Amino acid sequence: MPDDLSSLDFTGGLRFACTGDTATPLVLLGNIEVEREWARGEPGLPAVGDGAPSAVVARMDELALVLGEAGDHVVLKSAPDRGYLDYLRSLGLGLPGIELTDRCRARVPVTDEARESPGLLRRLAGLGRAGARLLPHGVSRAEEALAAAAHLPVALPAADVAKRVNSKIYGRRLAARLGVPLAQGWECESVGEFESAVDRAAEVLAAGGTVGVKDAYGVSGKGIAVADRPRRLEQLIRMVRRRAERTGDHRLAVVVEVWADKAVDLNYHFTVARDGSVRFDFVKEALTAGGVHQGHRYPARLTPAHRDLVEDTAQQVGKSLAADGYFGPVGVDAIVCRDGSLLPLLEINARNNMSSYQARLQERCIPADAVVTARQFDVLLPGPVAFARLAEVLGELLYRPEAGHGALPNSFATVNAGFVDASGPADGRFYLMLIAPGQERSDALAAEVTARLAEFGELR
């Protein structure tokens, strides 16, 4: 057994932190849409839509493929492209065994698909008897129901613990308790508290500021309303009042925050072990557009003082999470402001993060001194694309370890997700890690990759 987490690689540390044993086989589940389950029944901002994941989001399950080792297993909605599997093996990666759901429907989350798969459940039960543990992206009651049906123990804390610590209300209150620098704001658990917060926020608007109202369980820019005029806040007040009058339920789960003058978005990652120890993993610059996550760049361009504050905050937050019953992977969003100050805790994502699925590739395949930009490219495709065709179009730009630079696809199922039950055209998403020896070369690589991907269809 290791003396501490720092002596292990990323996946080994995650395995040990979650199970207490570096030899425990994992069954990985890429239930990226877990926040949808945490938000179920929580009265956030009134919204329209059914909240179901898009076909592309439902196929982000394949991201988990590159997190596991040989000896692990991954649950997927359909078999990966064989050319893509061969490519991953050519990078020197041992891959987990693949356990398929009994069917694949376009907008159905992988957890639901798995729960409705008797053949898969029997195979998972066999893995459980052999000592395997289920390691999902995050745990909700849906994953607990899957684990119970498959007789496969979960390697993460109970869903109620996970939900509690992922709330933005919890995150703000924890930051205040720890004395961590925090954006001005207010936590609201009732319509009355929201009305009081809006009164105070109106003073910020009168002074020329901007405020954001965020669902406690919103993610990736969803469930956020931005206001720079009182009229927008008044509209929100009317909406939540009408709902409360209609339902008789005056609960609310939102935070109201003064928008900071942001220069750089950050995301840092750490792992909390069952014994309460905390390992800082990495910090990256987060790429966003309209508040929606688009990717990462690393190494992050931070001052030593900023990096020290990030690592110190990670240790404090990790120990607090452990005291509240959580263990496992954690990502925290932070920002560097234009005045040079750092807000090191905007929200806690106590689950796997997009950067979690890049870590093993980063450790095993990429030069330590490279500049890496992990990006998504959304394209309207006229028809399905085989990995062999992507490799052909990228040509010499496709990443090879011996070259040390190029575009490394870290998932592929999202490319053809829209064609599961349609003939096209459909939206597809390419996830690529762009690897270069410096920022100038990185920018040039991004431009060339973008131009080549345009051969497939209309870039979104």
Side-chain angles (χ1 to χ4, degrees), residues 162-382:
K163 177 176 176 174
R164 182 173 73 252
V165 301
N166 275 281
S167 167
K168 292 179 178 61
I169 292 173
Y170 173 94
R172 281 191 57 85
R173 290 175 176 168
L174 176 59
R177 188 166 77 244
L178 295 176
V180 171
L182 183 65
Q184 181 186 1
W186 305 272
E187 305 88 46
C188 307
E189 295 182 287
S190 69
V191 174
E193 290 179 350
F194 183 54
E195 291 171 336
S196 297
V198 165
D199 287 341
R200 284 173 281 182
E203 300 174 6
V204 175
L205 301 187
T210 300
V211 299
V213 182
K214 303 178 182 180
D215 283 351
Y217 293 99
V219 65
S220 297
K222 300 174 184 176
I224 298 179
V226 180
D228 56 8
R229 290 172 294 184
R231 185 175 180 180
R232 177 57 172 148
L233 291 179
E234 292 166 4
Q235 180 187 37
L236 292 175
I237 283 286
R238 288 195 299 271
M239 292 170 67
V240 299
R241 281 175 178 161
R242 281 199 297 265
R243 183 179 63 190
E245 291 167 359
R246 185 179 70 254
T247 64
D249 185 354
H250 288 258
R251 293 178 306 130
L252 195 61
V254 300
V255 298
V256 181
E257 287 185 343
V258 178
W259 240 230
D261 191 12
K262 178 183 68 178
V264 180
D265 282 298
L266 299 174
N267 175 265
Y268 57 95
H269 195 290
F270 56 92
T271 304
V272 181
R274 285 174 176 264
D275 64 4
S277 59
V278 179
R279 178 185 69 179
F280 181 81
D281 296 316
F282 47 75
V283 56
K284 300 180 179 182
E285 295 178 25
L287 309 178
T288 61
V292 179
H293 178 85
Q294 299 291 316
H296 292 97
R297 181 210 178 274
Y298 58 93
R301 292 163 286 192
L302 292 176
T303 66
H306 282 163
R307 185 174 181 91
D308 288 346
L309 179 54
V310 163
E311 293 193 21
D312 180 65
T313 304
Q315 290 292 329
Q316 292 187 69
V317 173
K319 287 179 169 56
S320 296
L321 289 171
D324 285 341
Y326 181 81
F327 54 87
V330 183
V332 175
D333 294 336
I335 59 171
V336 178
C337 300
R338 293 192 184 280
D339 63 5
S341 61
L342 173 68
L343 295 178
L345 200 170
L346 292 185
E347 65 179 72
I348 297 169
N349 296 304
R351 51 167 172 75
N352 277 331
N353 294 255
M354 289 299 290
S355 57
S356 309
Y357 301 111
Q358 301 157 14
R360 185 165 172 252
L361 293 167
Q362 181 181 345
E363 286 181 341
R364 303 289 180 86
C365 308
I366 298 173
D369 58 351
V371 170
V372 181
T373 304
R375 284 186 52 187
Q376 66 182 56
F377 296 83
D378 293 303
V379 184
L380 180 63
L381 301 168

Side-chain angles (χ1 to χ4, degrees), residues 2 5 8-19 21-22 67 69 279 363-364:
L5 288 174
L8 298 169
D9 64 10
F10 181 83
T11 300
L14 184 61
R15 188 189 314 274
F16 177 73
C18 294
T19 72
D21 191 338
T22 57
L67 184 58
E69 306 271 7
R279 178 185 69 179
E363 286 181 341
R364 303 289 180 86

